[in-house]
Each structure stands twice: as C-alpha cells, then as structure tokens.
C-alpha cells in the first residue's frame, strides 16, 4: 500500500513566538493489483459489454469549454479502446484467450482513498492530489480502478473529480458489467499516461 500526502506550511503563534508548521491537508492511498487477483475480478465473457456510449459523456462536463470536453471524451474513449484491443486476438481465434486475459489483467492499480480536509475543499486540491497519485502510479502501471463510496449519483463531488481525469463508470455485474467482484460503484481509467499527457490541467484548475 502506497501513501501520498499533500501539505502546506502555516504560521502558528504561541507563547514562544511565531512558528512555521507543516499541515497535512490531503492523503491518498493506492496499491498495485496482482494479475491473478485482477483475473478473479474479471468476467471475461462480459468484457466487450463494458461501457456504453453514455459513459463517454459526463453530466458535469458542462462546466468546461468545448475544447476541454472534447479532450476529456478522447481520454475516456481510451478506457474502452484498450479493452477492445485486448480482445482483438480472441475475436480472431476463439480458442486462444490467454493472451487477451494476460493483457487485461496486468499493470493495474487500485486507488483506495483520495481525501482532502474539509476546510480546504473547493480549491482544486483534489485535482492536484489525484494527478500526483496517478503520476506516481504510472511509473509501473497503465490502468487504474477505484470504488466511489456511495456511488456516483450520491457522491457527486468524487464522481466529478474522477470524471475530469477520464475515469468512466462501470456497470454492475448484474447489469452486464465486466467485473465479478467487486462490482458496485466502480470507475476505471484505461490509460493513465494518456490522461496525464492529454488533459488540459491548467484550464481544469481554474
């Protein structure tokens, strides 16, 4: 399990005078997911039904310019394309699925927590912390998955944050989703590098 912290310096006055104190205002936890564990999560037969067109459009995209929305759609599209590419060999040879499964299950991270102190929210600090977390995770991994507590419809701030970075919501298993476990309130980012390279962070942070 990896830890990343976001901190700031603040002045504190006491009887001994004025001191600079480092205050931790945000934390994130993430871990690499072993291929065999990821293989247990996948329902391979359902992979091709993972995401519908509606997930490419995000209800909070109206906050941004047309250029930012276009680039977000491209990044989210990559979350679909990597699965389609992984399945290509299976489509050509139904008897040889091992290569596709290996490609699908390797190089994953699971983001367990991204949290900002309540008094420091609404200042785009979640963007900074998540961006730094993904940049560190991308040193050895390509794909990211996370669970939004309460679901995207109830935890709108979290869903909006992850949507900015190209994460797309995945249907539950009983709705045709690809993950057998866990399968509830999952968001997936298919290409961490593309998100970090292509998204217009300067405008997103305004």
């Amino acid at each position: 399990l990896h830890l990343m912290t976001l901190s700031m310096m603040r002045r504190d006055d006491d009887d001994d005078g004025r001191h600079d104190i480092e205050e931790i205002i945000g934390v994130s936890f993430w871990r690499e997911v072993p291929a065999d564990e990821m293989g247990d999560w996948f329902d391979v037969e359902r992979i091709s039904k993972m995401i519908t067109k509606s997930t490419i459009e995000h209800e909070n995209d109206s906050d941004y310019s047309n250029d930012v929305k276009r680039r977000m759609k491209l990044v989210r599209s990559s979350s679909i394309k990597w699965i389609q590419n992984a399945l290509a060999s299976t489509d050509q040879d139904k008897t040889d699925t091992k290569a596709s499964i290996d490609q699908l299950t390797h190089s994953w991270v699971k983001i367990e927590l991204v949290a900002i102190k309540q008094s420091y929210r609404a200042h785009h600090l979640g963007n900074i912390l998540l961006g730094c977390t993904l940049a560190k995770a991308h040193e050895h991994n390509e794909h990211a998955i996370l669970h939004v507590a309460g679901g995207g419809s109830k935890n709108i701030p979290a869903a909006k944050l992850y949507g900015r970075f190209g994460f797309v919501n995945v249907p539950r298993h009983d709705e045709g989703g690809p993950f057998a476990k866990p399968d509830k309130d999952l968001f997936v980012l298919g290409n961490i590098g593309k998100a970090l390279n292509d998204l217009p962070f300067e405008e997103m942070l305004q």
Side-chain angles (χ1 to χ4, degrees):
L1 190 66
H2 303 272
L3 166 67
M4 179 166 287
T5 62
L6 184 65
S7 62
M8 65 175 295
M9 301 301 295
R10 64 177 178 83
R11 287 289 178 86
D12 187 60
D13 295 322
D14 57 25
D15 294 340
D16 296 326
R18 178 172 293 180
H19 306 278
D20 290 329
I21 298 178
E22 183 178 12
E23 179 181 6
I24 295 177
I25 59 176
V27 296
S28 69
F29 291 96
W30 59 276
R31 68 181 179 90
E32 287 97 355
V33 184
D36 56 349
E37 179 183 347
M38 205 70 210
D40 290 339
W41 290 13
F42 274 118
D43 183 338
V44 177
E45 294 180 358
R46 294 189 178 181
I47 293 296
S48 61
K49 300 178 181 179
M50 177 180 173
I51 304 168
T52 63
K53 185 178 182 299
S54 61
T55 61
I56 302 300
E57 302 278 353
H58 197 280
E59 60 183 1
N60 295 304
D61 285 354
S62 58
D63 298 343
Y64 302 104
S65 68
N66 289 334
D67 180 61
V68 172
K69 287 189 285 187
R70 178 184 63 81
R71 294 166 74 174
M72 284 180 173
K73 289 177 186 177
L74 290 174
V75 171
R76 291 179 192 139
S77 295
S78 70
S79 293
I80 301 173
K81 289 179 180 177
W82 71 267
I83 289 184
Q84 294 173 334
N85 291 337
L87 291 174
S89 60
T90 303
D91 292 337
Q92 296 170 8
D93 185 355
K94 300 294 184 181
T95 63
D96 183 13
T97 61
K98 185 177 186 303
S100 293
I101 294 174
D102 288 347
Q103 187 173 347
L104 285 170
T105 57
H106 91 288
S107 198
W108 280 85
V109 296
K110 185 173 188 290
I111 298 176
E112 303 286 1
L113 175 71
V114 177
I116 299 292
K117 288 183 69 172
Q118 187 169 1
S119 57
Y120 290 95
R121 294 174 186 173
H123 297 290
H124 303 297
L125 296 176
N127 286 335
I128 295 172
L129 181 57
L130 179 57
C132 292
T133 300
L134 289 173
K136 185 64 177 177
H138 182 54
E139 291 179 3
H140 303 289
N141 303 277
E142 291 293 334
H143 320 300
I145 189 169
L146 54 83
H147 169 263
V148 174
S153 61
K154 295 182 179 179
N155 196 344
I156 294 176
K160 185 175 181 180
L161 169 64
Y162 301 129
R164 290 192 197 108
F165 281 80
F167 281 85
V168 291
N169 193 203
V170 179
R172 295 181 61 169
H173 190 259
D174 59 8
E175 298 171 346
F179 294 100
K181 63 173 185 176
D183 72 331
K184 185 179 180 182
D185 303 326
L186 292 177
F187 283 68
V188 166
L189 179 61
N191 191 324
I192 298 174
K194 187 171 182 61
L196 295 174
N197 290 328
D198 293 359
L199 289 177
F201 291 106
E202 183 175 349
E203 185 168 346
M204 289 167 60
L205 292 173
Q206 292 178 356

